[in-house]
Amino acid sequence: MFSKGISAHKIRTIMQKAAMYPMDITEIFDENICVVIDNICSSSQTPREYLITMLLPAIDHFINGSQIRTNTGTPTNISFFTTIIEYPSVNKSSATEAVLNACLAIEKYLGIKTDESRINYSATVESLLIELKNTSPRLIQIWDEAVTLLQSFGLYKQGGAAYDRSIMCTLYNSSAVVKRQTKSGNITVENPVLNIAAAAHPADIFSSVSNESDDDGL
């Protein structure tokens, strides 16, 4: 049996291999934060791995202006594109909802108005770039179903998803300038930082990778 270009057996094999590598959050956070994370996971019956997967992009989003320094000494922005990949009915939504609610609470505390929210759900790459240019150069997307984002690539375009995927790769690489040129006009965004946290079913995410392009890096 095949699902969208990838066999069910191959999906199971990938998932089984991934399960062999549990996440050690003590290598990421200090003891006090680990206790808080464990309390949240215990109260919501959510695995640690789910919450951390959603939490990393949110942390990066709110650490405004922070950069990392490469091996060559060059400072650069950093983005996280993370996805919980798991079968249906395993409580992925609890982690998504917890991080989304936390982001909304932080925005309220910071005095960010609802219509100026940095939490973005643009349906097209053009819309996303406009929001990065006009609303804020730092945005976060939190998707309960990653397939919604994946299916938006190439939407309304005859040429397919390749160009949209290239823009997303450019955003992930934290390029200093991202440009989009279309017949209707040009969009230039300086120092954009996009973080994405999502949840997905294995068939959706693996098929997207294998069907669209094995080489574009997304």
Side-chain angles (χ1 to χ4, degrees), residues 16-195:
Q16 288 168 357
K17 287 182 178 179
M20 296 170 61
Y21 300 94
M23 182 184 295
D24 184 359
I25 67 170
T26 61
E27 295 181 351
I28 306 173
F29 301 108
D30 64 30
E31 182 179 353
N32 292 330
I33 294 178
C34 288
V35 171
V36 173
I37 290 173
D38 282 340
N39 287 338
I40 295 172
C41 292
S42 177
S43 63
S44 61
Q45 296 184 333
T46 302
R48 277 178 165 187
E49 290 81 0
Y50 290 7
L51 187 61
I52 300 302
T53 299
M54 305 300 290
L55 191 59
L56 289 176
I59 292 172
D60 184 62
H61 173 67
F62 285 107
I63 303 179
N64 192 21
S66 294
Q67 294 182 316
I68 61 171
R69 192 171 295 276
T70 66
N71 292 335
T72 60
T74 304
T76 182
N77 296 320
I78 181 172
S79 295
F80 286 96
F81 289 7
T82 65
T83 307
I84 300 171
I85 304 174
E86 190 53 279
Y87 294 103
S89 303
V90 292
N91 210 20
K92 298 188 296 295
S93 294
S94 292
T96 305
E97 184 177 355
V99 172
L100 175 59
N101 288 339
C103 289
L104 290 170
I106 292 171
E107 287 198 337
K108 183 177 181 179
Y109 175 80
L110 294 175
I112 298 174
K113 298 178 181 178
T114 302
D115 58 353
E116 297 176 353
S117 176
R118 275 56 165 172
I119 304 170
N120 175 266
Y121 293 101
S122 292
T124 64
V125 165
E126 288 80 5
S127 173
L128 171 61
L129 292 178
I130 290 172
E131 289 297 311
L132 284 166
K133 181 178 178 65
N134 296 335
T135 300
S136 171
R138 300 184 68 92
L139 297 177
I140 184 170
Q141 295 184 335
I142 303 174
W143 300 95
D144 191 51
E145 293 290 347
V147 69
T148 306
L149 172 64
L150 297 172
Q151 290 180 348
S152 73
F153 298 151
L155 198 64
Y156 312 121
K157 298 181 182 68
Q158 294 181 350
Y163 193 74
D164 284 355
R165 291 171 66 92
S166 72
I167 292 292
M168 297 301 287
C169 287
T170 302
L171 288 169
Y172 178 77
N173 291 332
S174 300
S175 299
V177 177
V178 177
K179 293 185 177 182
R180 174 77 161 176
Q181 295 177 312
T182 64
K183 292 181 179 179
S184 59
N186 301 331
I187 305 172
T188 300
V189 185
E190 296 183 358
N191 293 314
V193 178
L194 175 67
N195 284 283

